[in-house]
Amino acid sequence: MEQEWLTGGTAAVDGAVIEGLGDLRRAPGARVRAACEGPVGLAVVGDCPVAEEELRAALPAVRVRRWAELTRWPGSYWVVADNGRQRFVCGDLAGIRAVYYTLRGDEGAAWASRARLLERPLVPDLPLLAARLTVGEHHWPHRTPYEQIRMVPGGFGLLLAPEAPPQLVDVTGVDPAVELREGAVRFGEALTDAVQHRVRATSDVVGADLSGGLDSSAAVVLAADAGTVHAVTYTDGYTSGEDMAFASRIAEHTGARHTVATGGDEQLPFGFPAGQPSEAEPVLEAAMYAMDAAYLHPVQGLPLHLTGHGGDIVLDASSSCWVRLLQDGHRREAHRQVAAFARLRNTAPGPYWKALKHAADLGRCGALERAAAALERGPVTPQKAVAGWSWCRLGAGASWLTGHGRHQVAALLRQAAHDQQQPEQADEFDQWAALRSVGASARGWAPYGHAIGVRPVYPYLDNQVVRAAFAVPALARRGLVTYKPLLRAALPQLPDWLTSRRSKGSFTAQRIAGLARHRARLDELVHTSPLVASGLIDPAAVGTVLAQAARGQSATAIADLHQLLVTCWWLTGQPTVLGAPC
C-alpha cells in the first residue's frame, strides 16, 4: 500500500499516466486495472481482484453516473472514473484509501491519495487538533490535520466537473437485512471471501496477527483453510494470560505456525525511538511502534499480513442502538434491554438509563451546542466515566484547554453541529464515526508497516464486509448474552470455546508502565509542543494528570493522554506555523 498513490487535477508529481484517463498519475509499481471506451474510462488502484472484463462491464454505469456501483468489488482500493464530463474519485468506506483535495481558485480542485502530493504547504491546523483531543475526531470527517486541505469522508466519493465546485457523493449503499440470521449469511460469505481470496492469490505463506481475541482468531481460522499461515503474538509481563492461552489454542486448532514475541521495558508504549517514521497524521499506534517492530519481525517480507483490525466495529455495536430505540419512540423496549444489560453485568441501570435518555433528548446538534456552551462558560472539570453513550463527551482533554483553546474548540463544535451530512440517528452516527476512526488508524499505520517490512491487510474493513455488517441492525449486533453474535451466526464452523469468550484484552497496564518509564521526556514533549506555544493547551494541567496516570491513579484519562502525546510527538516533525494566543 505504501507506493499506491494517485494524483489528479493540477497536482504534478512524477509517476506513470494511466492510459485513457488524462492527467491521472499513479506511483510506479502501483497495482492498476483500467478500461476505456472513447471518452469513458475507469481505473481501480490497489488491492482488488477485479478482472478487465468486469471493468468493461461497468463502463455503462460510468456513462450514466451510477457511481456507487463502482465500489462493490472485493478488496480495498481507489476508483477513478471519467465519462467525458465529470470525474469521480473514491476511496473505501473506512477511509484507509484516503482522497485528499484542495481548491485552486480558477484552476479548480486538485486531489491526491496523500496530502503531501497536493503541492500546498502542510501547515498543521492547531485549533482542529486541540478539538480532536477534546471531543474526538468524528465531528469533522471532512477535515484533515492541515489547513486548507480537505478529505473525502469514508462512505463518500468526490465528483469533479469543469467550472463547478467539488461535490461529495454518498456511496454507502447498505441494503438493510431483516434480521441477524439473514444478514449473517451475507456477512459470513463476504468476510470469508475477503480473507481467502487474498491468501489464495499469494500462493505463499501469509502472516497474521493472533492476539487471542475473536477478530484476529477468526481471520486466522479462515486463512488457514485457504493456505499456510504464520501467526505472531505479542506478550510481556503485563499481557493477559487468558489472551495468550486463546492464541495458543487457535494456533494448535488451525495448525498455523505460531511465533510468540516477548517484550520488555524497551517495548513499552511512548518510547518513540529514534528513526521512527511519521507521515500524514497523528495516530495512536505511533506510541506502540517499538512493540509492533518486535512482534512483527518474524513475518517481515511476507506477501501480506492479516489483521483483525476493525472487527470490533463491524461485529459489535455500542449502546447508541438503545438511544436509537428512544429516538424512534420505543421507550419500553429500550428500558427493558438496558435493564437486562445492566443486570447481566451486576451494575445499576439507573445512571446508564439516564445517560441514554439525555442523549436521545438532546440529539446530535443539541449535544454539540451544549458542549460548546460548557467550554465557553469557563474551565471544564473532567467528567467521570459515565456508563452509557454520548454524542459529545468532554473528557480529560477538555480540562487541559486554556481560555483561548476553549473558545477555539467551541467555535468548531458549533460549526460541526450544523453539518448536514452527519446522520442524526444515534446508531448510524456512531457506527460510521467508529468506522472512519479505525480506518484512519489503519491509514496512519502505513509508514510503520513499510518501515517494519509488513504489508497489512484489513479484511474486516473491506467495502463489502462493512456493508454486510452494517446491513444487520445495530440492535441485533449488540449482544446481551452472546458477545459479537454476528460472528457466531456468520461462521458456525468456529469452535464454540472461541465464540463463547466474553472477555477482551487491553493494553492499559502497558500504557501506565510506559507513562511511568518515559514521564520526564513526555512532560518535556508537551511543554515544547506547538499546542502549548500557540496558547491552546495548559502544560501544567497536563503535567498533573500525566503524573497521576504514571502512578496508576487516573486510568480514565489515559485515552486522552495517549492522543495528546502522539499528537505532540507528531507535531515535532511538522513545519508548524504558530498562531498567537488571543
Side-chain angles (χ1 to χ4, degrees):
M1 180 172 155
E2 183 69 10
Q3 292 300 317
E4 288 172 354
W5 51 255
L6 290 164
T7 61
T10 59
V13 180
D14 291 337
V17 176
I18 298 179
E19 185 177 355
L21 287 167
D23 61 350
L24 179 62
R25 294 177 174 270
R26 47 93 174 177
R31 290 164 293 175
V32 180
R33 289 178 174 83
C36 297
E37 287 182 2
V40 179
L42 171 62
V44 172
V45 182
D47 176 15
C48 180
V50 63
E52 185 176 343
E53 299 77 37
E54 293 175 275
L55 289 182
R56 291 196 174 279
L59 290 176
V62 178
R63 288 191 181 94
V64 297
R65 298 178 292 181
R66 295 198 304 267
W67 307 119
E69 292 182 21
L70 311 178
T71 68
R72 293 185 172 274
W73 293 296
S76 174
Y77 47 88
W78 289 277
V79 167
V80 184
D82 201 312
N83 60 16
R85 301 176 303 279
Q86 296 171 305
R87 171 164 291 179
F88 173 74
V89 187
C90 189
D92 61 329
L93 299 183
I96 301 175
R97 308 280 180 168
V99 176
Y100 301 89
Y101 67 101
T102 188
L103 300 180
R104 299 283 195 182
D106 294 339
E107 298 178 30
W111 64 269
S113 58
R114 294 186 186 181
R116 67 175 177 80
L117 300 177
L118 289 173
E119 293 188 318
R120 182 181 286 278
L122 297 182
V123 181
D125 188 337
L126 297 177
L128 180 68
L129 289 169
R132 287 181 169 186
L133 294 170
T134 304
V135 293
E137 63 189 31
H138 45 277
H139 300 296
W140 303 275
H142 57 291
R143 300 280 293 268
T144 74
Y146 303 107
E147 296 179 0
Q148 300 184 45
I149 294 179
R150 296 291 178 119
M151 174 181 287
V152 179
F156 289 83
L158 184 68
L159 191 62
L160 302 168
E163 300 180 359
Q167 296 180 42
L168 294 180
V169 179
D170 189 334
V171 296
T172 49
V174 176
D175 299 321
V178 176
E179 58 178 12
L180 177 67
R181 182 177 300 178
E182 174 196 345
V185 174
R186 280 193 250 165
F187 178 80
E189 292 172 350
L191 181 62
T192 300
D193 181 58
V195 173
Q196 294 187 349
H197 91 253
R198 290 177 165 108
V199 175
R200 293 190 176 107
T202 66
S203 301
D204 198 353
V205 178
V206 302
D209 283 346
L210 182 55
S211 67
L214 268 63
D215 310 336
S216 64
S217 296
V220 168
V221 170
L222 292 175
D225 283 343
T228 305
V229 180
H230 184 173
V232 287
T233 301
Y234 177 83
T235 187
D236 58 21
Y238 306 94
T239 303
S240 159
E242 185 179 21
D243 281 346
M244 190 66 247
F246 271 92
S248 298
R249 195 170 180 184
I250 281 292
E252 182 180 1
H253 174 78
T254 59
R257 180 182 175 187
H258 188 205
T259 300
V260 178
T262 302
D265 289 348
E266 294 300 318
Q267 280 71 47
L268 286 173
F270 307 109
F272 301 117
Q276 175 174 334
S278 177
E279 205 176 69
E281 51 201 300
V283 291
L284 296 179
E285 287 73 13
M288 324 294 274
Y289 179 70
M291 181 186 300
D292 290 343
Y295 91 91
L296 291 171
H297 179 75
V299 291
Q300 66 180 7
L302 294 182
L304 62 85
H305 185 81
L306 292 162
T307 84
H309 189 72
D312 283 340
I313 307 307
V314 298
L315 293 172
D316 203 355
S318 73
S319 50
S320 62
C321 63
W322 297 322
V323 177
R324 175 64 184 271
L325 279 177
L326 287 167
Q327 288 180 307
D328 291 345
H330 303 301
R331 180 186 175 94
R332 180 175 296 178
E333 177 61 16
H335 188 271
R336 184 190 71 79
Q337 293 211 25
V338 169
F341 182 81
R343 187 165 54 248
L344 285 169
R345 285 150 183 82
N346 198 29
T347 60
Y352 207 89
W353 176 244
K354 183 179 179 181
L356 299 182
K357 285 197 302 178
H358 188 63
D361 292 341
L362 280 176
R364 187 184 69 85
C365 182
L368 269 61
E369 292 281 2
R370 187 184 182 97
L375 288 170
E376 290 171 336
R377 280 196 300 269
V380 175
T381 301
Q383 298 177 2
K384 294 182 179 179
V386 178
W389 183 84
S390 171
W391 298 93
C392 180
R393 180 171 288 126
L394 297 178
S399 68
W400 304 333
L401 294 171
T402 63
H404 171 58
R406 290 195 302 274
H407 282 85
Q408 291 283 304
V409 174
L412 287 167
L413 280 172
R414 292 192 190 282
Q415 292 174 14
H418 301 287
D419 183 351
Q420 300 299 314
Q421 292 177 326
Q422 290 273 52
E424 299 298 329
Q425 294 78 25
D427 55 346
E428 290 189 26
F429 171 84
D430 189 61
Q431 70 183 12
W432 285 102
L435 179 70
R436 291 167 184 152
S437 180
V438 298
S441 172
R443 181 175 71 242
W445 196 80
Y448 305 133
H450 182 68
I452 294 169
V454 167
R455 180 178 168 265
V457 293
Y458 307 94
Y460 287 99
L461 298 180
D462 281 5
N463 283 358
Q464 293 303 81
V465 176
V466 169
R467 286 189 175 108
F470 285 1
V472 178
L475 195 62
R477 286 182 277 130
R478 178 68 165 176
L480 288 177
V481 178
T482 303
Y483 180 47
K484 297 183 177 177
L486 177 57
L487 185 67
R488 179 190 284 262
L491 300 176
Q493 72 269 34
L494 294 177
D496 182 69
W497 51 262
L498 173 65
T499 54
S500 61
R501 184 182 182 187
R502 297 190 58 83
S503 58
K504 181 176 175 59
S506 166
F507 283 103
T508 299
Q510 284 94 335
R511 290 193 290 181
I512 292 172
L515 292 173
R517 178 178 173 84
H518 301 293
R519 178 186 158 191
R521 182 186 171 198
L522 297 174
D523 197 51
E524 180 183 3
L525 190 65
V526 172
H527 275 77
T528 58
S529 168
L531 291 168
V532 170
S534 62
L536 294 165
I537 296 289
D538 176 6
V542 177
T544 298
V545 176
L546 176 59
Q548 293 172 345
R551 295 193 297 267
Q553 296 174 336
S554 187
T556 56
I558 287 179
D560 286 1
L561 268 177
H562 191 155
Q563 185 66 60
L564 173 66
L565 293 171
V566 298
T567 301
C568 291
W569 173 81
W570 176 80
L571 281 168
T572 61
Q574 304 301 315
T576 309
V577 175
L578 300 180
C582 296

